[in-house]
Amino acid sequence: MKPVYVDNNATTQVAPEVMEAILPYFRELYGNPSSMHSFGGQVGPRLRTARAQVAALLGAEPDEIIFTGCGSESDNTAIRSALACYPEKRHLVISRVEHPAVRSLAASLAKEGYRVSEIPVDSQGHLDMGKLRASLTPDTAIVSIMWANNETGVIFPIEEIAELVHRHGILFHTDAVQAVGKIPLNLARTKIDLLSLSGHKLHAPKGIGALYIRRGTKFSPFLVGGHQEKGRRAGTENVPGIIGLGRGCELAAANLEAENTRVRALRDRLESELLRRIPDAQVNGDPEQRLPNTSNISFAYVEGESILLMLDEFGICASSGSACTSGSLEPSHVIRAMGVPFTMAHGSIRFSLSVYNTEAEIDFIIDKLPPIIDRLRQLSPFSRDRAVPCSLA
Ligand code: PLP
């Protein structure tokens, strides 16, 4: 059975065009770009093309891009770099709804003695700009705020935030792992210093990411060793991954229009039909300021994991925002930060679409989900203890 895959914020299928671009780098062109011989050397120009393709999607210059192993590495590199470059500064600012790639790093930095401010969000997922402004001090080394939330798709006003942070003379990093390829970005006209992205969220392979470093930004490498990436990230280049990321970015640029029209229309229909057919359901996050592919819906009195298991029986792949903490299912930190009521919080499901989804797939979900919710609500009062598997979305 071909899955009905609506979990594209978790990862995406590698585009056939990307596959085609990568394969020669496994088969024939396996040389090391740092080698002196021409067999390895011929790879170098292809890496330059890939770098230019990534830069073009961002409205950046190729020398402002370094390749990394993943989005998490880019996030860690950006934040650690700021702290290394400004050792006298001991404070950093993040939002309460960051991905664990930033949150967990901030938590370990707090253990190392750094002061961390977490900016709250309101019930629609909007950042508290007043609290952000008030958090900035001469001791702040970096502010790291995600461009779009992976669970709700809510988009933060990153250009405005970057301006504000810059006015205070502080470095600004954004985790744009979910935004790149889904909404148009043009870094040339922003004050963003550092930006993270990840290949596997945009139909390129897993295990490849990139970090944008604005020209002139002080930088300290995370990985040291060889002189790859002009000394900014050591390690023999993941050539197939880089080629795939470049081609993926090129495709993403070509698909931006479709993301924002066809994918958005599919998402909106899925959402409005589910809300029409299922009582006691709500969309989490600002309905407008949202990625076009993402819908996070809470269904009252049921648990997300139970819904996922039943969807799985029909081959429908989605996500819940719950995490298993000491044997009980806790709503995710994002859902909790938004103050979603208890009865709703446990039954939140994230649908995240891509250009590969079809009308027929959306119809299938619209058909299958309402009876599932109905059955779960009849079967089990929310308060009853049930053994359900844990999944870390
Ligand atoms: N940041 C966000 C917002 C994400 O959604 C993810 C992945 O889910 C990451 C960072 C981590 O990216 P990677 O899986 O490439 O390390």
Side-chain angles (χ1 to χ4, degrees), residues 156-278:
F156 286 147
I158 287 302
E159 299 184 11
E160 186 188 333
I161 294 171
E163 292 270 349
L164 168 72
V165 172
H166 247 243
R167 276 204 300 279
H168 287 75
I170 299 167
L171 279 185
F172 180 68
H173 165 251
T174 184
D175 173 344
V177 164
Q178 294 292 346
V180 174
K182 294 178 187 146
I183 53 173
L185 309 178
N186 185 359
L187 299 188
R189 54 155 216 245
T190 74
K191 294 278 196 284
I192 294 166
D193 299 299
L194 299 144
L195 174 145
S196 303
L197 65 94
S198 176
H200 73 106
K201 309 292 184 179
L202 47 80
H203 304 292
K206 296 165 185 62
I208 182 72
L211 178 66
Y212 160 86
I213 309 166
R214 174 182 292 282
R215 267 185 197 161
T217 303
K218 273 195 182 180
F219 182 76
S220 171
F222 187 51
L223 282 187
V224 289
H227 287 99
Q228 293 88 356
E229 301 297 302
K230 295 191 179 143
R232 293 181 294 179
R233 198 270 189 183
T236 300
E237 295 87 345
N238 170 3
V239 174
I242 292 172
I243 300 294
L245 179 61
R247 185 71 180 102
C249 285
E250 192 178 53
L251 268 182
N255 282 336
L256 261 182
E257 168 85 17
E259 277 281 352
N260 286 277
T261 52
R262 201 178 70 76
V263 176
R264 183 187 295 276
L266 287 180
R267 189 274 313 267
D268 288 349
R269 198 161 72 78
L270 174 69
E271 201 165 85
S272 58
E273 280 302 312
L274 291 180
L275 292 184
R276 195 171 69 76
R277 292 168 193 227
I278 303 173

Side-chain angles (χ1 to χ4, degrees), residues 62-333:
D63 66 356
E64 294 178 310
I65 305 298
I66 63 166
F67 294 112
T68 65
C70 56
S72 303
E73 185 190 320
S74 299
D75 288 342
N76 276 256
T77 303
I79 293 172
R80 291 258 185 214
S81 166
L83 300 177
C85 291
Y86 300 94
E88 69 287 1
K89 300 191 178 195
R90 305 288 297 170
H91 175 230
L92 63 146
V93 178
I94 66 170
S95 84
R96 199 163 277 173
V97 295
E98 293 300 311
H99 187 271
V102 169
R103 275 187 100 217
S104 303
L105 172 62
S108 62
L109 289 168
K111 285 196 191 127
E112 288 174 34
Y114 287 94
R115 197 164 63 80
V116 179
S117 299
E118 280 196 7
I119 308 303
V121 297
D122 67 14
S123 59
Q124 294 230 305
H126 299 133
L127 199 70
D128 186 329
M129 293 295 282
K131 289 229 165 70
L132 173 64
R133 212 168 284 119
S135 73
L136 306 176
T137 73
D139 191 40
T140 311
I142 187 163
V143 175
S144 179
I145 306 279
M146 68 201 322
W147 203 313
N149 188 268
N150 46 303
E151 290 188 28
T152 60
V154 170
I155 297 170
F156 286 147
I158 287 302
E159 299 184 11
E160 186 188 333
I161 294 171
E163 292 270 349
L164 168 72
V165 172
H166 247 243
R167 276 204 300 279
H168 287 75
I170 299 167
L171 279 185
F172 180 68
H173 165 251
T174 184
D175 173 344
V177 164
Q178 294 292 346
V180 174
K182 294 178 187 146
I183 53 173
L185 309 178
N186 185 359
L187 299 188
R189 54 155 216 245
T190 74
K191 294 278 196 284
I192 294 166
D193 299 299
L194 299 144
L195 174 145
S196 303
L197 65 94
S198 176
H200 73 106
K201 309 292 184 179
L202 47 80
H203 304 292
K206 296 165 185 62
I208 182 72
L211 178 66
Y212 160 86
I213 309 166
R214 174 182 292 282
R215 267 185 197 161
T217 303
K218 273 195 182 180
F219 182 76
S220 171
F222 187 51
L223 282 187
V224 289
H227 287 99
Q228 293 88 356
E229 301 297 302
K230 295 191 179 143
R232 293 181 294 179
R233 198 270 189 183
T236 300
E237 295 87 345
N238 170 3
V239 174
I242 292 172
I243 300 294
L245 179 61
R247 185 71 180 102
C249 285
E250 192 178 53
L251 268 182
N255 282 336
L256 261 182
E257 168 85 17
E259 277 281 352
N260 286 277
T261 52
R262 201 178 70 76
V263 176
R264 183 187 295 276
L266 287 180
R267 189 274 313 267
D268 288 349
R269 198 161 72 78
L270 174 69
E271 201 165 85
S272 58
E273 280 302 312
L274 291 180
L275 292 184
R276 195 171 69 76
R277 292 168 193 227
I278 303 173
D280 297 319
Q282 71 173 39
V283 171
N284 297 313
D286 185 307
E288 300 305 321
Q289 290 303 309
R290 229 175 358 145
L291 293 174
N293 78 319
T294 308
S295 179
N296 187 307
I297 309 182
S298 278
F299 303 98
Y301 319 121
V302 284
E303 267 176 3
E305 271 56 31
S306 312
I307 305 172
L308 288 185
L309 286 179
M310 294 182 83
L311 284 174
D312 195 45
E313 285 175 17
F314 294 107
I316 300 170
C317 311
S319 266
S320 82
S322 307
C324 197
T325 324
S326 47
S328 71
L329 286 166
E330 284 292 323
S332 78
H333 68 285

